[in-house]
Amino acid sequence: MKFFVLSTLVATCAAFSPAALPSQRTQTNLEAKFDLNKVVSAGLAGLVAASALAPPAQAITKSELNQLSYLQVKGTGLANRCPEVVGEDSITPKSGQKLVDMCIEPKAWAVEEEVGNKGATERKFVTSKVMTRQTYTLDGIEGTLSGNPLTFSEKEGIDYAATTVQLPGGERVPFLFTVKDLVAKGNGPAFKPGFQMGGAFKTPSYRTGLFLDPKGRGGTTGYDMAVALPGLQSGEEGDDELFKENNKTFDVTDGKIEFEVNKVNSEEQEIGGVFVATQLSDTDMGSKVPKKILTKGIFYARVD
């Protein structure tokens, strides 16, 4: 009996563990101005290949999900999942149509770190574990479609989610998973398997101005210095040592995301596929150097 239970647990963990992410070398710095094209393109190609070989288990379509009541969804994790699309058709949006009900579900995360290798250090993406409960999926996003090739401009929806991942050494990295103000340009006039679109988005600060740190300091409220440490904030040098902690900032950085469509249902006007996104982590309101986050997963949307 004990062996059967242990075998079941091992199988379950293996089924839900994220696939290993390929190590990527990058030459960018840790500021907001960085080039993400190579990292995102390579990650997207790997994710497309993986999704083709291993279709998701227990897939549920949008129509099946709409038939469930609140009590049937509650506590199952379905609210954090994106619907799957069945079909390999083609959809050519007409003038004035929009993408609605867009859902973006991360499946795997990695954080760029300095890794030692034969006496030298290099920057690589290290696979990390999500620590946030099942509230990290973006949903209800909608925006306009225009031009030829197609361009998607995000307008509204649940387009951000506070998320925390943990590195193998135990360090936790918080970041705001988002696609705010996304403008994604496609490579054709129609949604069909193989269609790609991507672009840049804005990543707001993980915390707002009303947040107070343990010393009671905040961006728009609270103390302007650490009251308990007056000796470190006086004299000729003033508060140089604690300047970043005392002067809170609302940092807005840039991110990049790429989508690839692999399923299209023309009857339901649905599209689905995979995505790869790169963005910066939280700066703790200006006091910390952000890390680069790589996120992979699936998406769903409907043409309306």
Side-chain angles (χ1 to χ4, degrees):
M1 183 63 183
K2 291 183 179 179
F3 177 79
F4 174 78
V5 173
L6 181 60
S7 301
T8 304
L9 289 175
V10 171
T12 304
C13 293
F16 286 93
S17 60
L21 294 172
S23 298
Q24 299 290 341
R25 187 188 299 267
T26 178
Q27 299 177 351
T28 58
N29 56 27
L30 289 173
E31 297 177 351
K33 297 180 180 179
F34 50 84
D35 181 12
L36 303 173
N37 291 323
K38 294 183 180 180
V39 174
V40 173
S41 299
L44 184 61
L47 188 59
V48 170
S51 63
L53 295 175
Q58 299 178 347
I60 183 169
T61 63
K62 183 67 172 179
S63 59
E64 294 171 341
L65 193 59
N66 288 339
Q67 296 174 14
L68 300 178
S69 66
Y70 168 76
L71 292 178
Q72 288 175 312
V73 174
K74 180 181 178 182
T76 63
L78 288 176
N80 193 54
R81 290 181 52 190
C82 290
E84 305 290 339
V85 179
V86 179
E88 296 184 356
D89 307 325
S90 177
I91 300 175
T92 303
K94 301 177 182 178
S95 177
Q97 286 193 306
K98 304 186 298 182
L99 267 187
V100 299
D101 297 337
M102 190 173 194
C103 175
I104 303 176
E105 178 188 352
K107 293 287 191 180
W109 299 261
V111 180
E112 189 183 49
E113 285 284 275
E114 288 190 355
V115 179
N117 184 17
K118 297 181 180 179
T121 59
E122 56 183 353
R123 305 199 69 85
K124 289 186 176 182
F125 282 102
V126 179
T127 303
S128 57
K129 174 184 178 181
V130 65
M131 303 305 295
T132 305
R133 293 196 178 189
Q134 297 186 1
T135 57
Y136 48 78
T137 293
L138 310 183
D139 198 10
I141 298 171
E142 63 179 68
T144 59
L145 291 171
S146 60
N148 183 5
L150 289 173
T151 298
F152 169 68
S153 301
E154 189 266 345
K155 298 298 181 183
E156 58 183 344
I158 304 176
D159 54 7
Y160 68 94
T163 309
T164 300
V165 294
Q166 181 172 290
L167 291 167
E171 179 185 358
R172 295 189 176 183
V173 182
F175 67 101
L176 194 71
F177 178 53
T178 181
V179 290
K180 279 187 175 294
D181 298 331
L182 168 66
V183 177
K185 297 182 179 180
N187 61 354
F191 292 116
K192 57 183 179 180
F195 174 87
Q196 295 184 354
M197 64 177 183
F201 58 85
K202 296 296 183 183
T203 306
S205 174
Y206 182 82
R207 295 187 173 98
T208 64
L210 295 178
F211 172 79
L212 296 179
D213 69 6
K215 299 295 184 183
R217 300 165 296 190
T220 59
T221 185
Y223 298 112
D224 59 359
M225 60 182 289
V227 180
L229 301 171
L232 295 177
Q233 300 159 98
S234 61
E236 294 181 359
E237 296 181 356
D239 66 344
D240 289 351
E241 186 174 347
L242 299 177
F243 180 80
K244 291 184 177 180
E245 284 78 5
N246 289 340
N247 294 271
K248 305 297 183 182
T249 59
F250 188 93
D251 296 322
V252 179
T253 57
D254 295 324
K256 184 175 178 63
I257 189 169
E258 294 283 345
F259 300 93
E260 178 161 334
V261 175
N262 55 27
K263 296 292 181 180
V264 180
N265 187 329
S266 59
E267 182 178 354
E268 300 291 340
Q269 294 288 288
E270 297 174 334
I271 64 173
V274 295
F275 79 90
V276 175
T278 342
Q279 64 177 93
L280 294 181
S281 68
D282 174 40
T283 65
D284 200 13
M285 303 192 77
S287 64
K288 295 180 180 179
V289 177
K291 297 178 182 292
K292 192 182 299 181
I293 309 291
L294 178 67
T295 307
K296 297 182 179 184
I298 63 174
F299 79 96
Y300 163 92
R302 183 170 59 85
V303 179
D304 184 28

